[in-house]
Amino acid sequence: MAENIENGEKKALDENLVKEALDMFRPMLQADGGDIEYVGIDDQNRVHLKMLGACGGCPMAVMDLKMGVEQYLKDACPEITEVVQDNAPDLGENGFDYF
């Protein structure tokens, strides 16, 4: 379990709760040929994921991750600070070199 300090008290981030929330979100990605793989939680309460299948190389994956998965996980586990894609494609300096 990762830990979060709130008002001077440590509050544990339940890894199982994060995984359960991911399992609830997963069918939405699978409907479009994608999936997600849980990698872990770092000491800053950032959840690390890998986007798989159609999501792995899709330029829209970052938006799906931030506006979809991250928001869903933060609603389920408010201690989460951010969701990070560990296998994000290199979009270049301005974000458009990928295309």
Side-chain angles (χ1 to χ4, degrees):
M1 277 190 200
E3 292 181 347
N4 184 9
I5 297 177
E6 188 174 291
N7 297 327
E9 297 178 22
K10 287 187 177 183
K11 188 172 182 182
L13 177 55
D14 187 348
E15 187 174 81
N16 290 326
L17 186 59
V18 172
K19 289 179 180 180
E20 287 176 23
L22 286 173
D23 286 342
M24 297 297 291
F25 193 87
R26 180 172 276 117
M28 292 181 248
L29 295 173
Q30 290 173 336
D32 290 325
D35 207 347
I36 48 180
E37 177 185 324
Y38 173 79
V39 176
I41 301 171
D42 67 20
D43 59 352
Q44 296 174 4
N45 280 358
R46 294 182 301 189
V47 176
H48 292 259
L49 303 173
K50 288 186 181 179
M51 302 295 277
L52 306 173
C55 295
C58 176
M60 297 300 290
V62 174
M63 187 173 74
D64 289 343
L65 185 76
K66 290 295 182 182
M67 299 190 75
V69 178
E70 182 173 289
Q71 196 60 46
Y72 190 85
L73 288 178
K74 283 182 171 183
D75 287 345
C77 308
E79 301 85 12
I80 292 172
T81 59
E82 183 180 16
V83 174
V84 179
Q85 181 181 357
D86 281 359
N87 63 333
D90 182 7
L91 299 180
E93 187 175 309
N94 63 12
F96 297 102
D97 296 345
Y98 180 78
F99 302 102

